[in-house]
Amino acid sequence: MTTVEKNCAACGAPITVRLADHKRGWGRFCDKSCAAGYKCGMRPRDVNKGHAKESVWAEKAFSEREAAGVDEWPKVPTIKEQLGRKVKVRPIYHSPSSCRKCGKRVNGPGLCWECDEAEEALNAMEAGWDGHKTGSAA
């Protein structure tokens, strides 16, 4: 079983991930609280005393970093440097997801094909009106 070192995408802490999980696009976070914090917009730059007063996640990440005795987590070597070769990572599509307009189940992010066609038709119709005067002359 091959493992690789990565930095957590949310707090920046070094983590060990199975290579198979990395190839699937998994193993980006050290725990579920970091995954939830990342979805809310938290990043390694947010792990400081100021954010620790406002966010439970930042407080946890800051206390873990202080307990380790470092000001900033060290950057781990890239996967290519660790393995000596490039590794292909499959993109993650959270499917089935919902269409942003109608809510119908779609395979992949974005719009269903009906809403996409309607959006393209509307954009094509309004394309000729760019810069057209809308005010009436008095």
Side-chain angles (χ1 to χ4, degrees), residues 8-13 28-65 73:
C8 175
C11 69
R28 296 181 58 207
F29 308 102
C30 52
D31 58 17
K32 288 184 179 181
S33 66
C34 278
Y38 188 85
K39 288 179 184 176
C40 295
M42 298 293 186
R43 301 293 186 268
R45 67 178 180 277
D46 296 335
V47 182
N48 58 39
K49 286 185 182 180
H51 280 95
K53 293 176 186 172
E54 301 170 13
S55 166
V56 175
W57 170 82
E59 181 181 357
K60 177 194 84 67
F62 186 72
S63 62
E64 286 177 359
R65 197 174 69 197
W73 291 112

Side-chain angles (χ1 to χ4, degrees), residues 101 111 114-130:
K101 287 217 176 209
L111 302 172
E114 292 100 351
C115 292
D116 191 37
E117 284 180 354
E119 185 82 5
E120 285 180 18
L122 183 63
N123 290 340
M125 233 176 21
E126 292 184 357
W129 291 93
D130 292 340

Side-chain angles (χ1 to χ4, degrees), residues 50-112:
H51 280 95
K53 293 176 186 172
E54 301 170 13
S55 166
V56 175
W57 170 82
E59 181 181 357
K60 177 194 84 67
F62 186 72
S63 62
E64 286 177 359
R65 197 174 69 197
E66 274 191 330
V70 294
D71 290 332
E72 188 174 317
W73 291 112
K75 278 296 247 186
V76 298
T78 63
I79 304 297
K80 186 176 181 180
E81 291 171 352
Q82 291 180 40
L83 300 176
R85 60 185 167 92
K86 283 181 88 172
V87 176
K88 187 171 184 176
V89 178
R90 281 188 287 161
I92 297 176
Y93 292 115
H94 300 285
S95 102
S97 63
S98 301
C99 173
R100 288 179 289 170
K101 287 217 176 209
C102 67
K104 186 162 81 171
R105 301 293 249 181
V106 294
N107 188 14
L111 302 172
C112 65

